[in-house]
Amino acid sequence: MADTDRFPAPSLTDRLTAAAFTALMAGLRLLPYGPRVELSGRFFTGVVAPLAGWRRRIRDNLALVLPDLPEAEVERLVRAVPDNVGRCLAEMFSGPEFVARCRDLPLQGPGAALLKQLHAEGKGAVLVTGHFGNYDAIRGGLSGRGYNIGGLYRPMRNRDFNTRYVDAIERVAQPLFPRSKRGMTKMMRFVREGGMIGLAIDQYLGAGTDLTFFGRTARTALSAADIALRYDLPLLPIFATRQPDGLSFALEVEEPIATGTPEAMCQAFNDRLEARVRAHPEQWFWIHRRWKIR
């Protein structure tokens, strides 16, 4: 049974949306890499964001957690956030070209030496990140260097789009594991065998735990800390921060999160991610419904 079988069969709207997106990415791939990524950013800012309601969601999220932000900065983010999302998608759907641009990026930060050592010794690690910059630059950059890095993803309700999306991100790096019972079982086996796993835990998870993010309650998955504790692995925050040229990234590995309860460890990650977002607010996916009210 496919991991998306629990979702309804695609509606006509779902099929048309997936087909339109596929056509867009195919058209963009006719352009050289730089113009392709830039044009995708502009398209998502000018067309997708207003149609999908992203502008309102960005404003609502900012009003909730950063109510004193000047209107000029809010307006900048309303445009800059969809631009980053559009760039990310064009990059992910560029497969080998994207990986080629990531694999030689230097690993920076106080945790970089440890990550390199673990790779050299064939040992595993739990790499934890968020939807910031382009998080797939982490998998692409590490896989391109020969790291045994897997990723966990959440299957999308639109099956047609999900098929295209998974195919694209598999061309960035493999293996990939869907967030499902079967996917988690395979991921655990991969980790037990010495693989490194990358997890983004900054989306709302109904089955998660109430932690805080930007001073507000945010349901957070504890899976990253649970895996690190179960297999005695370091929990390493890692981020791919987009650089001013709009095309390259800084791959930064932070110090491992101190061992503690899963709640304390994931709260420490939320705090680290918040610091990153405050420094580069345009690079976080404010389009998510991060602070849902139950």
Side-chain angles (χ1 to χ4, degrees):
M1 183 175 66
D3 290 294
T4 54
D5 282 353
R6 66 185 185 277
F7 296 142
S11 65
L12 177 60
T13 300
D14 287 342
R15 295 183 186 278
L16 290 175
T17 299
F21 181 81
T22 301
L24 170 64
M25 290 297 136
L28 288 171
R29 282 197 296 272
L30 298 175
L31 300 174
Y33 185 88
R36 176 193 318 163
V37 173
E38 180 180 356
L39 182 59
S40 182
R42 291 183 177 181
F43 182 81
F44 273 74
T45 299
V47 178
V48 176
L51 290 177
W54 289 358
R55 292 182 175 180
R56 172 55 65 93
R57 194 173 306 157
I58 293 167
R59 286 184 174 276
D60 288 347
N61 280 334
L62 290 171
L64 179 67
V65 300
L66 295 173
D68 298 327
L69 209 61
E71 177 57 31
E73 177 64 1
V74 172
E75 185 58 34
R76 182 184 78 85
L77 294 176
V78 164
R79 300 188 62 81
V81 170
D83 178 80
N84 183 60
V85 175
R87 286 173 182 265
C88 286
L89 286 169
E91 289 159 347
M92 293 173 188
F93 276 77
S94 293
E97 289 179 273
F98 178 48
V99 174
R101 286 176 168 264
C102 296
R103 66 185 173 210
D104 294 327
L105 295 171
L107 285 177
Q108 306 174 41
L114 174 58
L115 183 59
K116 293 175 184 177
Q117 178 185 345
L118 292 169
H119 169 57
E121 296 175 353
K123 295 180 179 179
V126 179
L127 308 182
V128 63
T129 191
H131 292 78
F132 174 87
N134 187 336
Y135 48 95
D136 257 1
I138 298 167
R139 289 194 312 121
L142 294 180
S143 176
R145 289 174 166 84
Y147 283 61
N148 188 19
I149 175 74
L152 180 71
Y153 73 94
R154 179 183 294 182
M156 300 181 184
R157 295 187 65 84
N158 184 333
R159 291 193 204 173
D160 282 9
F161 180 79
N162 185 74
T163 298
R164 292 163 171 80
Y165 177 71
V166 173
D167 178 67
I169 59 179
E170 281 184 336
R171 286 186 284 115
V172 173
Q174 293 188 49
L176 283 174
F177 306 101
R179 186 183 288 277
S180 66
K181 184 176 181 180
R182 183 171 59 175
M184 294 295 285
T185 298
K186 291 181 179 180
M187 185 184 74
M188 291 303 212
R189 184 183 308 123
F190 174 76
V191 172
R192 286 198 306 270
E193 293 172 353
M196 294 184 179
I197 190 69
L199 304 174
I201 63 168
D202 62 332
Q203 287 182 296
Y204 176 91
L205 182 68
T209 297
D210 285 343
L211 301 180
T212 60
F213 187 55
F214 278 85
R216 293 275 182 170
T217 298
R219 302 223 91 189
T220 303
L222 301 183
S223 50
D226 286 337
I227 296 169
L229 291 169
R230 177 180 299 183
Y231 298 110
D232 193 24
L233 298 175
L235 184 62
L236 283 169
I238 183 169
F239 300 98
T241 305
R242 191 178 298 278
Q243 297 300 283
D245 65 4
L247 298 172
S248 61
F249 301 90
L251 295 183
E252 300 168 284
V253 190
E254 296 191 353
E255 293 179 352
I257 290 175
T259 299
T261 65
E263 292 81 2
M265 294 171 74
C266 290
Q267 182 59 61
F269 170 75
N270 279 0
D271 296 342
R272 302 244 195 131
L273 176 60
E274 180 178 331
R276 291 273 171 176
V277 177
R278 287 184 181 276
H280 303 280
E282 70 283 350
Q283 297 201 33
W284 189 60
F285 281 27
W286 292 93
I287 61 175
H288 287 163
R289 293 185 175 93
R290 184 66 182 99
W291 297 274
K292 288 184 182 179
I293 299 175
R294 288 179 292 164

